[in-house]
Amino acid sequence: MSNMLEVKDLKAYYGPSQALHGISFSLSKGGITTLLGANGAGKTTTLRAICGMVRAEGSVIIDGEPVTGKATESVVRLGVGHVPEGRGTFTELSVEENLRVAAYTRRDKAAAARDLEMVFTYFPRLKERMAQQAGTLSGGEQQMLAISRALMLGPRLMLLDEPSFGLAPLIVQEIFRIMRRINEEAKVSMLLVEQNAALALELADHAYVLETGRVVMSGTSAEVRSDEQIRKSYLGY
Amino acid sequence: MATTMTTETSAAGDPAALPGLRRPIPKWIWLGIIFAALLPLIGGQTGLISNFYFLQLSLMIVYSIAVLGLNLLTGFNGQISLGHGAFFAVGAYVTAILIDRYEMHYLATLPLAMIACFIVGYLFGRPALRLEGHYLALATFALAIAVPQFLKYRHFEPLTHGVQGINIFNPDPPFGLPLSPDQWLYLVVLACAVVMFIVARNIVQSRMGRAMMAIRDQPLAADTMGINSARTKSITFGISALYVGLAGALHAIIFEFVSPDSFRFELSIAMLVGAVIGGIATLSGAVIGGFFVQFIEKYADALTKWITSTVHLPIHLEPWTIYGIVLIVLMYTMPMGIAGGLASLWRKIRPPG
Ligand SMILES: Nc1ncnc2c1ncn2[C@@H]1O[C@H](COP(=O)(O)OP(=O)(O)OP(=O)(O)O)[C@@H](O)[C@H]1O
Ligand SMILES: [Mg+2]
C-alpha cells in the first residue's frame, strides 16, 4: 500500500536557528501516526514544515505529490486539514463563519454542504451554537470547532496538534472517539501530535518519538507501548 | 456553498444574530438616507440650513468614507496605518489635476482617483505587508510624511503648482436643478457614501471579508484554511486606499482647493482616531468616526477658546487638549467605540421581546 505521507530528511529553520535536524517518517493511507516528544522537541514545527509554514528542506510527499517548498494554500488544496496548536479559533467570528472560512478554497459547493452535514453528525453540539461568537465557546467546543474547520476542507490527511491540550479528561475521550470515527468513516489519514502519550498510542497505529528535532525511536503503537524502556525515558508514564 | 449553506444554517440558528450572513439593510437606515437626501429640499429651500452647513455636512460624509476605508484595513484586517492621509492626498491631487489640467468632468475623475489609489495602495502594501504590527505602522508613517514633500517637488510643479496648490471651482448642479452648488455636491457626496457603504458591507460579509477577519484573528490558522494571507492583505490595503482616495477626491471638489499642506500628518492620525472612536470593525462606527474627525477639525479650536474665555481657567488650553480629553473620556466610557456603546445602550433600554 502506498503512503499518504512520506517525510524524508526534513529540516526546518526559524530564522538562523534549526528546529528539525533531518527527520523521516511515513503514514500509511487510512492510518493514524502519532508524533510524541517533550516540549520543544519539534512536533509543531514538523506539522508546520509539512504545510509550508516554516522554511524547510528535505522531502515531503503527500499521496505521491511532492510538496516541499510549496505555499501553504497549495498544500491545503491537496486536502491537508491542519488543526493548529492552540486551536486557532477566529474569535470574533461566529461558529458558522469559522466553518465558512474553512470552505474558502472549495469550488464544489455541494460537497462543502455535505461536509457541513457531516460535521454536524460528528459534533451536534456545534449545530446548536452556529450563531455564537466562537471566542465565547468553551475550550472543548473550540477544539471541536477546530477539527470541524479542518473537516470542511474536505481533507484526505489531517494534521492534529495536541487536540487534548488543556481539556478535561471526559471531553478528551469524547474528542478522541470522534477522531477515531472520522478516521474510519471519512477515511481520513491522521498525523497526531500529542503530549498525552498513553492516549495517543491507543488511537494511533504507529508512533515516532522526537527529541530536539530528531527521531529517536519509532515502531508500532503496540511495540512502543510495551517497551518499558521507551516509556520511562521518553514518554514519562 | 453560499446558497446551500445559507439554507442549511438559517435552519440551525437565528439568522438575524449571524453577523456573517447577508441580512437586508434595516428599514430605518433607508429612511435615514432618504431624509438626508431630502435635506436640500427641506432645509435648503426654506433657508433653515445654509450653504455653509451643507459644506460641513459634506465634509463629515467625506471623512466617513475615509474612516470606513481605514476601518476595512485596521478594524477588519488588523493592520494599523498611520499614513492613510497619503492616499487622501493622492486621490485629491489626481482629481484636482485632471480637472485643472485636463479639463475633465469632475464626476469622471472619481473612478480614476479610486483606481490610482488602489494601485498605489496595493503596490505599497505588497512589500510593506511583510512587516508586522508596529513596523508596518512606521512604514505607513513614513508614507504620510513623504507624500506632502513629494507634492511640493519642483519638477512636478507644472502639474501640482507646488506649495500654492490647485484651485478648482464648484460645479453647477446639472439639468438646471434648483440647488446651490453646495447642496448639489452634498447630494453627490451622499450618493457616493451610500454606494461605498453598501459595497463595504458586501465585502465584509463575503468570502473575502471572512478571510480578512480570519487573518486578523489568527494569522497562522488563516493560512491553514488555505487563505493566501499576503494577497488578501495587499488587496485589502488597496481597497482601503481606494476608499480613502475617493474621500480625498470628493474633498478636493467640495473644498475647491488642494495644497500639500492640506494633507499633513494630523489628517492620518485624525482618521485613525475617528476609526477607533467610532468603533473599530463596525461599519456604522465609520459614520460616527467621520463626524468626529470633522467636528474636531472644525470645533476643537473654537471650543477651546470658548472654554478658556468663559470659565477663566487658570491653565492655558491648546486646541488639541480638547481632542485628548474627548478621546480619553470616550475610551473610558465606551471602550468599544461610540457605535459599540450605543448598541449596548440600545440593548439595555430596548423594550423586552
Ligand atoms: N516561531 C518560532 N521562532 C523561533 N523558534 C521557534 C519558533 N517556534 C518554535 N521554535 C523553536 O523550535 C523548537 C521546536 O518547537 P516546537 O514548537 O516545534 O516544539 P513542540 O514539540 O511542538 O513543543 P510543545 O510540545 O511545547 O508544543 C523549539 O526549540 C522552539 O523554541
Ligand atoms: Mg507544539
Side-chain angles (χ1 to χ4, degrees):
Chain A
M1 192 161 62
S2 68
N3 284 330
M4 177 54 78
L5 176 66
E6 188 76 58
V7 173
K8 278 217 187 80
D9 198 25
L10 184 63
K11 301 180 175 116
Y13 307 83
Y14 292 103
S17 76
Q18 188 167 1
L20 296 183
H21 300 271
I23 64 170
S24 303
F25 63 93
S26 61
L27 161 59
S28 63
K29 266 196 187 129
I32 302 181
T33 289
T34 182
L35 298 180
L36 306 171
N39 292 118
K43 306 181 296 293
T44 297
T45 306
T46 305
L47 299 192
R48 287 186 183 155
I50 292 170
C51 285
M53 296 168 76
V54 293
R55 191 161 63 83
E57 292 165 3
S59 144
V60 176
I61 296 171
I62 293 173
D63 206 2
E65 185 124 3
V67 299
T68 337
K70 279 200 177 170
T72 305
E73 70 265 17
S74 342
V75 180
V76 171
R77 268 163 229 254
L78 284 177
V80 177
H82 186 160
V83 181
E85 185 176 53
R87 301 169 194 133
T89 311
F90 303 128
T91 49
E92 301 293 315
L93 303 188
S94 68
V95 169
E96 172 174 19
E97 285 174 313
N98 267 266
L99 294 173
R100 285 179 174 219
V101 169
Y104 185 86
T105 57
R106 299 295 287 270
R107 294 261 168 266
D108 185 348
K109 307 307 179 198
R114 277 199 303 280
D115 285 346
L116 186 66
E117 272 311 299
M118 177 177 77
V119 162
F120 288 151
T121 60
Y122 292 127
F123 301 108
R125 209 188 299 191
L126 289 183
K127 184 165 185 167
E128 299 155 19
R129 298 181 177 275
M130 285 299 269
Q132 188 170 332
Q133 195 188 333
T136 64
L137 293 175
S138 75
E141 287 161 352
Q142 289 193 32
Q143 190 60 60
M144 294 178 185
L145 179 59
I147 295 174
S148 302
R149 246 177 17 189
L151 274 178
M152 289 298 292
L153 297 166
R156 292 181 279 175
L157 168 64
M158 273 175 114
L159 311 176
L160 297 133
D161 200 337
E162 299 199 37
S164 74
F165 186 79
L167 301 183
L170 270 180
I171 293 284
V172 172
Q173 276 170 23
E174 184 185 342
I175 288 179
F176 271 65
R177 260 200 309 276
I178 295 169
M179 279 160 45
R180 156 89 59 207
R181 276 181 59 200
I182 293 172
N183 170 251
E184 285 170 357
E185 295 166 13
K187 307 270 179 290
V188 180
S189 314
M190 292 178 171
L191 180 59
L192 170 66
V193 161
E194 261 302 336
Q195 286 284 341
N196 188 334
L199 201 64
L201 287 171
E202 239 170 76
L203 184 68
D205 43 64
H206 282 78
Y208 293 79
V209 181
L210 298 190
E211 201 178 56
T212 55
R214 294 182 178 82
V215 175
V216 290
M217 202 61 68
S218 66
T220 65
S221 294
E223 284 164 10
V224 173
R225 221 174 4 208
S226 58
D227 189 326
E228 197 151 342
Q229 192 64 35
I230 300 180
R231 269 178 30 199
K232 286 236 169 74
S233 45
Y234 296 110
L235 307 177
Y237 78 99
Chain B
M1 171 195 77
T3 52
T4 31
M5 285 245 320
T6 311
T7 45
E8 263 324 322
T9 51
S10 42
D14 170 17
L18 289 177
L21 286 182
R22 281 170 202 263
R23 288 163 297 160
I25 295 170
K27 241 193 221 113
W28 64 269
I29 289 188
W30 285 119
L31 288 176
I33 293 170
I34 291 170
F35 175 75
L38 290 177
L39 269 190
L41 271 181
I42 309 166
Q45 302 301 329
T46 58
L48 279 174
I49 305 174
S50 69
N51 282 328
F52 173 77
Y53 280 106
F54 276 110
L55 174 64
Q56 300 304 311
L57 284 174
S58 299
L59 288 172
M60 285 181 179
I61 299 172
V62 161
Y63 287 129
S64 297
I65 298 174
V67 170
L68 175 62
L70 183 56
N71 213 344
L72 286 175
L73 182 76
T74 302
F76 289 93
N77 198 212
Q79 309 181 59
I80 291 183
S81 169
L82 295 175
H84 261 42
F87 301 115
F88 199 91
V90 171
Y93 264 86
V94 167
T95 279
I97 291 171
L98 289 175
I99 293 175
D100 173 62
R101 177 79 192 218
Y102 299 97
E103 297 180 351
M104 225 167 164
H105 191 271
Y106 62 102
L107 289 180
T109 67
L110 297 180
L112 295 177
M114 288 158 77
I115 293 169
C117 285
F118 178 87
I119 293 171
V120 175
Y122 182 84
L123 291 181
F124 178 80
R126 207 67 225 198
L129 295 172
R130 296 176 170 276
L131 307 170
E132 300 282 325
H134 32 282
Y135 294 108
L136 176 65
L138 271 183
T140 55
F141 177 70
L143 188 70
I145 302 288
V147 163
Q149 299 308 318
F150 197 67
L151 293 171
K152 291 178 195 166
Y153 186 53
R154 201 159 45 88
H155 294 285
F156 292 141
E157 270 183 29
L159 281 179
T160 60
H161 303 312
V163 284
Q164 289 174 355
I166 306 172
N167 279 297
I168 47 184
F169 294 100
N170 263 353
D172 286 324
F175 322 120
L177 287 174
L179 296 169
S180 71
D182 284 320
Q183 292 171 348
W184 166 245
L185 285 180
Y186 162 80
L187 288 179
V188 170
V189 168
L190 181 67
C192 288
V194 169
V195 170
M196 296 313 275
F197 270 83
I198 291 176
V199 170
R201 197 169 186 275
N202 284 330
I203 292 176
V204 167
Q205 298 181 2
S206 72
R207 199 173 99 98
M208 169 77 186
R210 286 190 294 274
M212 284 160 57
M213 291 183 271
I215 292 169
R216 172 199 66 193
D217 286 354
Q218 283 283 344
L220 284 182
D223 288 344
T224 69
M225 296 287 105
I227 293 168
N228 184 332
S229 298
R231 196 166 134 257
T232 307
K233 282 163 92 173
S234 36
I235 290 177
T236 307
F237 213 101
I239 293 174
S240 169
L242 176 152
Y243 270 77
V244 176
L246 172 65
L250 290 169
H251 187 275
I253 294 170
I254 57 180
F255 220 68
E256 302 176 86
F257 178 61
V258 295
S259 79
D261 291 321
S262 330
F263 310 112
R264 280 172 322 189
F265 176 60
E266 284 90 335
L267 176 62
S268 301
I269 299 298
M271 276 158 57
L272 190 58
V273 170
V276 173
I277 287 290
I280 207 86
T282 64
L283 297 180
S284 51
V287 179
I288 299 168
F291 285 25
F292 183 81
V293 171
Q294 166 60 6
F295 177 82
I296 286 292
E297 289 261 285
K298 188 77 200 155
Y299 297 108
D301 201 24
L303 197 62
T304 312
K305 289 203 180 97
W306 180 78
I307 293 177
T308 322
S309 64
T310 46
V311 191
H312 298 294
L313 279 179
I315 49 164
H316 178 67
L317 283 184
E318 289 287 335
W320 294 99
T321 318
I322 294 289
Y323 199 149
I325 292 171
V326 171
L327 196 61
I328 291 168
V329 169
L330 282 176
M331 293 305 277
Y332 264 99
T333 52
M334 300 185 183
M336 303 295 293
I338 296 179
L342 290 181
S344 68
L345 188 67
W346 167 243
R347 278 194 294 275
K348 272 182 210 145
I349 61 171
R350 174 179 54 183

